[in-house]
Amino acid sequence: MECVVQGIIETQHVEALEILLLGLCGVHRVRLRVHELCLKSGPNLGSEASEVRLLCDLEQPEPTWTVRHVGGSMRGAGADQISVLVRTMVESKVSKNVLRLFYLLGYKLDHELLRVGFAFHFQRSAQITVTVSSVNKMLKLHATDEAVPVTPGIQLVEVTAPASAENYNEVAAAVSSFCEYLAPLLHLSKPGVSTGVVPTAAAAAASLMSYGGTTIM
Amino acid sequence: MYIRVLHWQPNAGHTVSSQILAEVSQCVESINGVKEGKWKATLSFYRPVLKEQANAAEFPRDFLGISLPEQPSKYYFVLRGQRLVLEADSTIQTIMEKLQSYKTRVALNFEGFQYQLGDFQLRVGKVVSIQSESLRGIVMEMEYRPISSWEKSHKIMGEFFDIWQEALSKRSLPGHFVHMEPNFGEFGLSGQYTLQHTAVQYATIMLQMIATAQSVRN
């Protein structure tokens, strides 16, 4: 299970966001370069269609692979009252021939993306991860060196935290509370609920750059 | 670590029995094997869930999932026909359940005791169907601990295997242990031994045991 919120920020304000996150999280960022392959079951496989994501971390000395299954999100009155999305999510690290395995099992490549950016992993009442990345598409199959941004000038910010059936309320509250600190720069909400950029972002970014610009170096 | 997995091949007209299992265990102890504890591995068959059975040939027929005692947090997939082996975290089983594109059918347990003999570890185990608890076979794992290189361990393992076969032959049991070494290179595995090599050996043994069972029925 995980709690998730997303938002967008203009690329010109990412440096300011990074300064803010460095101050809030107290840890160094890690670089992110992940090739994400979304596979869907072929027409005859399964009584219902299924989808699985393969993530290849290209930032490691040897590319490492993870399989991720994202399930349904919580619904109902209880879910509506929570400002973050709570959904089932299971991951497994795997050895490198996982793509071939799923092709042989009858899965097909639906689409692939390259996410490039950075992430902060830290503890604040919950294990929280903030990723800031540009989402890029490949012009040729698997050509990660020739990827171009899907939305030039705009980057995706995602805040996630693992949760369980016993503690998702507390985790959701921790994520929500953290997101309030980012409000001057961006608005974070449940995936699928689009909110656009924040009008105060430019002023907030200028303020952050003037105070903290030198600390990044 | 370098492991050779063996399975019991009964003589024509005979079957495997718990008596044979007991004799094998006693033989290990007679060559000064020190009993250390229990071990267990599991093997599951995965079958595709199909909308139309007519297209079954498009999908792999021997998709196996294996858990091994050395790494309880890992799980291994083998597509024997396509020469593919994959190591994953054990959460991959949950992912497969959620996908609902493949279901686990027959599952087998390999379980018994392990023994230490100097640089070697022996595991003797019965093969039991989870559904019926009936004895389906006997397996043995011979592990040479100090070296993981196939090239360097192969000869030492061969010599130990000969000693073992000689000790066992004195009991005049109606069968013998067989080792069929898979072509690890075809599975993309290197000369450095890993648990993926063990998973491939168990997958190969399944084929042998199925063939044996079919010939007994015929």
Side-chain angles (χ1 to χ4, degrees), chain B residues 154-178:
Chain B
H154 194 67
K155 186 163 174 289
I156 299 167
M157 181 66 82
E159 287 168 2
F160 181 79
F161 181 69
D162 291 341
I163 292 169
W164 162 252
Q165 294 284 60
E166 202 189 311
L168 193 62
S169 67
K170 292 177 182 144
R171 293 179 180 251
S172 304
L173 298 174
H176 59 282
F177 278 104
V178 171

PDB file of all heavy atoms in Angstrom, chain B residues 154-178:
ATOM      1  N   HIS B 154      34.021 -28.860  -9.890  1.00  0.00           N
ATOM      2  CA  HIS B 154      33.453 -29.986 -10.623  1.00  0.00           C
ATOM      3  C   HIS B 154      34.122 -31.313 -10.285  1.00  0.00           C
ATOM      4  O   HIS B 154      33.468 -32.323 -10.018  1.00  0.00           O
ATOM      5  CB  HIS B 154      33.585 -29.687 -12.117  1.00  0.00           C
ATOM      6  CG  HIS B 154      32.770 -30.580 -12.995  1.00  0.00           C
ATOM      7  ND1 HIS B 154      31.395 -30.567 -13.006  1.00  0.00           N
ATOM      8  CD2 HIS B 154      33.150 -31.532 -13.872  1.00  0.00           C
ATOM      9  CE1 HIS B 154      30.970 -31.465 -13.866  1.00  0.00           C
ATOM     10  NE2 HIS B 154      32.002 -32.073 -14.406  1.00  0.00           N
ATOM     11  N   LYS B 155      35.442 -31.321 -10.281  1.00  0.00           N
ATOM     12  CA  LYS B 155      36.208 -32.561 -10.062  1.00  0.00           C
ATOM     13  C   LYS B 155      36.013 -33.046  -8.627  1.00  0.00           C
ATOM     14  O   LYS B 155      35.777 -34.236  -8.391  1.00  0.00           O
ATOM     15  CB  LYS B 155      37.680 -32.286 -10.358  1.00  0.00           C
ATOM     16  CG  LYS B 155      38.563 -33.504 -10.307  1.00  0.00           C
ATOM     17  CD  LYS B 155      39.900 -33.232 -11.020  1.00  0.00           C
ATOM     18  CE  LYS B 155      40.865 -34.414 -10.857  1.00  0.00           C
ATOM     19  NZ  LYS B 155      41.392 -34.557  -9.494  1.00  0.00           N
ATOM     20  N   ILE B 156      36.096 -32.105  -7.673  1.00  0.00           N
ATOM     21  CA  ILE B 156      35.957 -32.481  -6.253  1.00  0.00           C
ATOM     22  C   ILE B 156      34.561 -33.052  -6.016  1.00  0.00           C
ATOM     23  O   ILE B 156      34.385 -34.056  -5.316  1.00  0.00           O
ATOM     24  CB  ILE B 156      36.174 -31.247  -5.348  1.00  0.00           C
ATOM     25  CG1 ILE B 156      37.584 -30.711  -5.564  1.00  0.00           C
ATOM     26  CG2 ILE B 156      35.920 -31.580  -3.893  1.00  0.00           C
ATOM     27  CD1 ILE B 156      37.820 -29.347  -4.974  1.00  0.00           C
ATOM     28  N   MET B 157      33.577 -32.401  -6.621  1.00  0.00           N
ATOM     29  CA  MET B 157      32.207 -32.876  -6.462  1.00  0.00           C
ATOM     30  C   MET B 157      32.055 -34.270  -7.061  1.00  0.00           C
ATOM     31  O   MET B 157      31.407 -35.139  -6.483  1.00  0.00           O
ATOM     32  CB  MET B 157      31.239 -31.904  -7.159  1.00  0.00           C
ATOM     33  CG  MET B 157      29.777 -32.287  -7.038  1.00  0.00           C
ATOM     34  SD  MET B 157      29.166 -32.195  -5.347  1.00  0.00           S
ATOM     35  CE  MET B 157      28.827 -30.457  -5.216  1.00  0.00           C
ATOM     36  N   GLY B 158      32.671 -34.492  -8.213  1.00  0.00           N
ATOM     37  CA  GLY B 158      32.608 -35.789  -8.868  1.00  0.00           C
ATOM     38  C   GLY B 158      33.184 -36.889  -7.976  1.00  0.00           C
ATOM     39  O   GLY B 158      32.623 -37.983  -7.860  1.00  0.00           O
ATOM     40  N   GLU B 159      34.293 -36.586  -7.316  1.00  0.00           N
ATOM     41  CA  GLU B 159      34.938 -37.578  -6.440  1.00  0.00           C
ATOM     42  C   GLU B 159      34.050 -37.880  -5.237  1.00  0.00           C
ATOM     43  O   GLU B 159      33.888 -39.044  -4.846  1.00  0.00           O
ATOM     44  CB  GLU B 159      36.297 -37.049  -5.973  1.00  0.00           C
ATOM     45  CG  GLU B 159      37.341 -37.069  -7.080  1.00  0.00           C
ATOM     46  CD  GLU B 159      38.596 -36.277  -6.731  1.00  0.00           C
ATOM     47  OE1 GLU B 159      38.679 -35.738  -5.596  1.00  0.00           O
ATOM     48  OE2 GLU B 159      39.484 -36.193  -7.603  1.00  0.00           O
ATOM     49  N   PHE B 160      33.466 -36.839  -4.669  1.00  0.00           N
ATOM     50  CA  PHE B 160      32.587 -37.040  -3.509  1.00  0.00           C
ATOM     51  C   PHE B 160      31.359 -37.850  -3.912  1.00  0.00           C
ATOM     52  O   PHE B 160      30.914 -38.745  -3.188  1.00  0.00           O
ATOM     53  CB  PHE B 160      32.171 -35.688  -2.927  1.00  0.00           C
ATOM     54  CG  PHE B 160      31.289 -35.807  -1.716  1.00  0.00           C
ATOM     55  CD1 PHE B 160      31.828 -36.097  -0.469  1.00  0.00           C
ATOM     56  CD2 PHE B 160      29.912 -35.641  -1.816  1.00  0.00           C
ATOM     57  CE1 PHE B 160      31.019 -36.222   0.653  1.00  0.00           C
ATOM     58  CE2 PHE B 160      29.096 -35.765  -0.707  1.00  0.00           C
ATOM     59  CZ  PHE B 160      29.642 -36.050   0.536  1.00  0.00           C
ATOM     60  N   PHE B 161      30.841 -37.560  -5.093  1.00  0.00           N
ATOM     61  CA  PHE B 161      29.668 -38.274  -5.603  1.00  0.00           C
ATOM     62  C   PHE B 161      29.981 -39.759  -5.740  1.00  0.00           C
ATOM     63  O   PHE B 161      29.173 -40.611  -5.376  1.00  0.00           O
ATOM     64  CB  PHE B 161      29.256 -37.672  -6.950  1.00  0.00           C
ATOM     65  CG  PHE B 161      28.041 -38.300  -7.570  1.00  0.00           C
ATOM     66  CD1 PHE B 161      26.787 -38.130  -7.006  1.00  0.00           C
ATOM     67  CD2 PHE B 161      28.148 -39.071  -8.709  1.00  0.00           C
ATOM     68  CE1 PHE B 161      25.664 -38.710  -7.574  1.00  0.00           C
ATOM     69  CE2 PHE B 161      27.024 -39.655  -9.289  1.00  0.00           C
ATOM     70  CZ  PHE B 161      25.785 -39.481  -8.717  1.00  0.00           C
ATOM     71  N   ASP B 162      31.168 -40.077  -6.228  1.00  0.00           N
ATOM     72  CA  ASP B 162      31.567 -41.481  -6.378  1.00  0.00           C
ATOM     73  C   ASP B 162      31.623 -42.181  -5.016  1.00  0.00           C
ATOM     74  O   ASP B 162      31.185 -43.331  -4.875  1.00  0.00           O
ATOM     75  CB  ASP B 162      32.927 -41.590  -7.080  1.00  0.00           C
ATOM     76  CG  ASP B 162      32.835 -41.179  -8.540  1.00  0.00           C
ATOM     77  OD1 ASP B 162      31.705 -41.164  -9.084  1.00  0.00           O
ATOM     78  OD2 ASP B 162      33.887 -40.857  -9.137  1.00  0.00           O
ATOM     79  N   ILE B 163      32.160 -41.473  -4.016  1.00  0.00           N
ATOM     80  CA  ILE B 163      32.241 -42.048  -2.655  1.00  0.00           C
ATOM     81  C   ILE B 163      30.831 -42.339  -2.141  1.00  0.00           C
ATOM     82  O   ILE B 163      30.535 -43.390  -1.575  1.00  0.00           O
ATOM     83  CB  ILE B 163      32.960 -41.073  -1.691  1.00  0.00           C
ATOM     84  CG1 ILE B 163      34.430 -40.940  -2.071  1.00  0.00           C
ATOM     85  CG2 ILE B 163      32.815 -41.525  -0.236  1.00  0.00           C
ATOM     86  CD1 ILE B 163      35.157 -39.807  -1.365  1.00  0.00           C
ATOM     87  N   TRP B 164      29.954 -41.378  -2.374  1.00  0.00           N
ATOM     88  CA  TRP B 164      28.579 -41.511  -1.907  1.00  0.00           C
ATOM     89  C   TRP B 164      27.887 -42.689  -2.605  1.00  0.00           C
ATOM     90  O   TRP B 164      27.252 -43.513  -1.955  1.00  0.00           O
ATOM     91  CB  TRP B 164      27.812 -40.209  -2.181  1.00  0.00           C
ATOM     92  CG  TRP B 164      26.324 -40.383  -2.130  1.00  0.00           C
ATOM     93  CD1 TRP B 164      25.467 -40.378  -3.183  1.00  0.00           C
ATOM     94  CD2 TRP B 164      25.543 -40.659  -0.973  1.00  0.00           C
ATOM     95  NE1 TRP B 164      24.171 -40.608  -2.753  1.00  0.00           N
ATOM     96  CE2 TRP B 164      24.200 -40.785  -1.406  1.00  0.00           C
ATOM     97  CE3 TRP B 164      25.830 -40.805   0.384  1.00  0.00           C
ATOM     98  CZ2 TRP B 164      23.149 -41.054  -0.519  1.00  0.00           C
ATOM     99  CZ3 TRP B 164      24.773 -41.067   1.270  1.00  0.00           C
ATOM    100  CH2 TRP B 164      23.454 -41.184   0.812  1.00  0.00           C
ATOM    101  N   GLN B 165      28.035 -42.778  -3.919  1.00  0.00           N
ATOM    102  CA  GLN B 165      27.379 -43.844  -4.667  1.00  0.00           C
ATOM    103  C   GLN B 165      27.869 -45.217  -4.194  1.00  0.00           C
ATOM    104  O   GLN B 165      27.085 -46.169  -4.076  1.00  0.00           O
ATOM    105  CB  GLN B 165      27.631 -43.701  -6.181  1.00  0.00           C
ATOM    106  CG  GLN B 165      26.990 -42.469  -6.804  1.00  0.00           C
ATOM    107  CD  GLN B 165      25.478 -42.586  -7.013  1.00  0.00           C
ATOM    108  OE1 GLN B 165      24.712 -42.771  -6.062  1.00  0.00           O
ATOM    109  NE2 GLN B 165      25.048 -42.478  -8.246  1.00  0.00           N
ATOM    110  N   GLU B 166      29.156 -45.301  -3.896  1.00  0.00           N
ATOM    111  CA  GLU B 166      29.716 -46.566  -3.435  1.00  0.00           C
ATOM    112  C   GLU B 166      29.135 -46.955  -2.080  1.00  0.00           C
ATOM    113  O   GLU B 166      28.759 -48.119  -1.855  1.00  0.00           O
ATOM    114  CB  GLU B 166      31.240 -46.456  -3.331  1.00  0.00           C
ATOM    115  CG  GLU B 166      31.925 -47.813  -3.394  1.00  0.00           C
ATOM    116  CD  GLU B 166      33.399 -47.692  -3.066  1.00  0.00           C
ATOM    117  OE1 GLU B 166      34.061 -46.813  -3.647  1.00  0.00           O
ATOM    118  OE2 GLU B 166      33.862 -48.488  -2.213  1.00  0.00           O
ATOM    119  N   ALA B 167      29.021 -45.966  -1.175  1.00  0.00           N
ATOM    120  CA  ALA B 167      28.465 -46.244   0.159  1.00  0.00           C
ATOM    121  C   ALA B 167      27.017 -46.708   0.030  1.00  0.00           C
ATOM    122  O   ALA B 167      26.569 -47.638   0.699  1.00  0.00           O
ATOM    123  CB  ALA B 167      28.564 -45.000   1.035  1.00  0.00           C
ATOM    124  N   LEU B 168      26.267 -46.038  -0.854  1.00  0.00           N
ATOM    125  CA  LEU B 168      24.846 -46.348  -0.990  1.00  0.00           C
ATOM    126  C   LEU B 168      24.638 -47.711  -1.660  1.00  0.00           C
ATOM    127  O   LEU B 168      23.682 -48.431  -1.332  1.00  0.00           O
ATOM    128  CB  LEU B 168      24.161 -45.242  -1.801  1.00  0.00           C
ATOM    129  CG  LEU B 168      22.628 -45.243  -1.770  1.00  0.00           C
ATOM    130  CD1 LEU B 168      22.123 -45.022  -0.342  1.00  0.00           C
ATOM    131  CD2 LEU B 168      22.086 -44.159  -2.686  1.00  0.00           C
ATOM    132  N   SER B 169      25.530 -48.069  -2.572  1.00  0.00           N
ATOM    133  CA  SER B 169      25.348 -49.320  -3.329  1.00  0.00           C
ATOM    134  C   SER B 169      25.383 -50.534  -2.411  1.00  0.00           C
ATOM    135  O   SER B 169      24.798 -51.573  -2.710  1.00  0.00           O
ATOM    136  CB  SER B 169      26.409 -49.432  -4.416  1.00  0.00           C
ATOM    137  OG  SER B 169      27.672 -49.599  -3.804  1.00  0.00           O
ATOM    138  N   LYS B 170      26.044 -50.397  -1.245  1.00  0.00           N
ATOM    139  CA  LYS B 170      26.131 -51.531  -0.302  1.00  0.00           C
ATOM    140  C   LYS B 170      24.764 -51.874   0.284  1.00  0.00           C
ATOM    141  O   LYS B 170      24.570 -52.954   0.837  1.00  0.00           O
ATOM    142  CB  LYS B 170      27.106 -51.204   0.838  1.00  0.00           C
ATOM    143  CG  LYS B 170      28.545 -51.113   0.355  1.00  0.00           C
ATOM    144  CD  LYS B 170      29.508 -50.707   1.458  1.00  0.00           C
ATOM    145  CE  LYS B 170      30.911 -50.603   0.881  1.00  0.00           C
ATOM    146  NZ  LYS B 170      31.699 -49.545   1.462  1.00  0.00           N
ATOM    147  N   ARG B 171      23.830 -50.952   0.170  1.00  0.00           N
ATOM    148  CA  ARG B 171      22.501 -51.207   0.748  1.00  0.00           C
ATOM    149  C   ARG B 171      21.564 -51.879  -0.245  1.00  0.00           C
ATOM    150  O   ARG B 171      20.425 -52.192   0.087  1.00  0.00           O
ATOM    151  CB  ARG B 171      21.889 -49.895   1.247  1.00  0.00           C
ATOM    152  CG  ARG B 171      22.680 -49.364   2.420  1.00  0.00           C
ATOM    153  CD  ARG B 171      22.172 -48.052   2.959  1.00  0.00           C
ATOM    154  NE  ARG B 171      23.037 -47.695   4.075  1.00  0.00           N
ATOM    155  CZ  ARG B 171      22.658 -47.724   5.352  1.00  0.00           C
ATOM    156  NH1 ARG B 171      21.431 -48.060   5.688  1.00  0.00           N
ATOM    157  NH2 ARG B 171      23.516 -47.390   6.302  1.00  0.00           N
ATOM    158  N   SER B 172      22.056 -52.083  -1.468  1.00  0.00           N
ATOM    159  CA  SER B 172      21.265 -52.800  -2.494  1.00  0.00           C
ATOM    160  C   SER B 172      19.833 -52.302  -2.611  1.00  0.00           C
ATOM    161  O   SER B 172      18.870 -53.088  -2.569  1.00  0.00           O
ATOM    162  CB  SER B 172      21.242 -54.309  -2.171  1.00  0.00           C
ATOM    163  OG  SER B 172      22.544 -54.790  -2.067  1.00  0.00           O
ATOM    164  N   LEU B 173      19.710 -51.004  -2.760  1.00  0.00           N
ATOM    165  CA  LEU B 173      18.361 -50.437  -2.885  1.00  0.00           C
ATOM    166  C   LEU B 173      17.898 -50.540  -4.340  1.00  0.00           C
ATOM    167  O   LEU B 173      18.716 -50.522  -5.262  1.00  0.00           O
ATOM    168  CB  LEU B 173      18.377 -48.968  -2.435  1.00  0.00           C
ATOM    169  CG  LEU B 173      18.783 -48.750  -0.956  1.00  0.00           C
ATOM    170  CD1 LEU B 173      18.901 -47.250  -0.665  1.00  0.00           C
ATOM    171  CD2 LEU B 173      17.782 -49.399  -0.011  1.00  0.00           C
ATOM    172  N   PRO B 174      16.575 -50.626  -4.577  1.00  0.00           N
ATOM    173  CA  PRO B 174      16.055 -50.798  -5.942  1.00  0.00           C
ATOM    174  C   PRO B 174      16.001 -49.490  -6.731  1.00  0.00           C
ATOM    175  O   PRO B 174      14.925 -49.016  -7.117  1.00  0.00           O
ATOM    176  CB  PRO B 174      14.658 -51.366  -5.694  1.00  0.00           C
ATOM    177  CG  PRO B 174      14.253 -50.797  -4.370  1.00  0.00           C
ATOM    178  CD  PRO B 174      15.502 -50.653  -3.546  1.00  0.00           C
ATOM    179  N   GLY B 175      17.195 -48.917  -6.936  1.00  0.00           N
ATOM    180  CA  GLY B 175      17.239 -47.663  -7.693  1.00  0.00           C
ATOM    181  C   GLY B 175      18.571 -46.983  -7.454  1.00  0.00           C
ATOM    182  O   GLY B 175      19.455 -47.527  -6.793  1.00  0.00           O
ATOM    183  N   HIS B 176      18.710 -45.780  -7.970  1.00  0.00           N
ATOM    184  CA  HIS B 176      19.952 -45.027  -7.759  1.00  0.00           C
ATOM    185  C   HIS B 176      19.690 -43.541  -7.942  1.00  0.00           C
ATOM    186  O   HIS B 176      18.663 -43.154  -8.533  1.00  0.00           O
ATOM    187  CB  HIS B 176      21.041 -45.498  -8.734  1.00  0.00           C
ATOM    188  CG  HIS B 176      20.643 -45.335 -10.173  1.00  0.00           C
ATOM    189  ND1 HIS B 176      19.780 -46.197 -10.816  1.00  0.00           N
ATOM    190  CD2 HIS B 176      20.996 -44.403 -11.089  1.00  0.00           C
ATOM    191  CE1 HIS B 176      19.613 -45.808 -12.068  1.00  0.00           C
ATOM    192  NE2 HIS B 176      20.341 -44.718 -12.270  1.00  0.00           N
ATOM    193  N   PHE B 177      20.629 -42.738  -7.441  1.00  0.00           N
ATOM    194  CA  PHE B 177      20.497 -41.287  -7.624  1.00  0.00           C
ATOM    195  C   PHE B 177      21.074 -40.881  -8.972  1.00  0.00           C
ATOM    196  O   PHE B 177      22.112 -41.385  -9.394  1.00  0.00           O
ATOM    197  CB  PHE B 177      21.215 -40.530  -6.506  1.00  0.00           C
ATOM    198  CG  PHE B 177      20.399 -40.415  -5.259  1.00  0.00           C
ATOM    199  CD1 PHE B 177      20.672 -41.195  -4.155  1.00  0.00           C
ATOM    200  CD2 PHE B 177      19.329 -39.509  -5.200  1.00  0.00           C
ATOM    201  CE1 PHE B 177      19.898 -41.093  -3.005  1.00  0.00           C
ATOM    202  CE2 PHE B 177      18.556 -39.399  -4.059  1.00  0.00           C
ATOM    203  CZ  PHE B 177      18.841 -40.193  -2.951  1.00  0.00           C
ATOM    204  N   VAL B 178      20.367 -39.981  -9.610  1.00  0.00           N
ATOM    205  CA  VAL B 178      20.756 -39.510 -10.939  1.00  0.00           C
ATOM    206  C   VAL B 178      21.017 -38.016 -10.893  1.00  0.00           C
ATOM    207  O   VAL B 178      20.288 -37.275 -10.229  1.00  0.00           O
ATOM    208  CB  VAL B 178      19.607 -39.791 -11.946  1.00  0.00           C
ATOM    209  CG1 VAL B 178      19.878 -39.118 -13.272  1.00  0.00           C
ATOM    210  CG2 VAL B 178      19.418 -41.285 -12.127  1.00  0.00           C
TER     211      VAL B 178
END
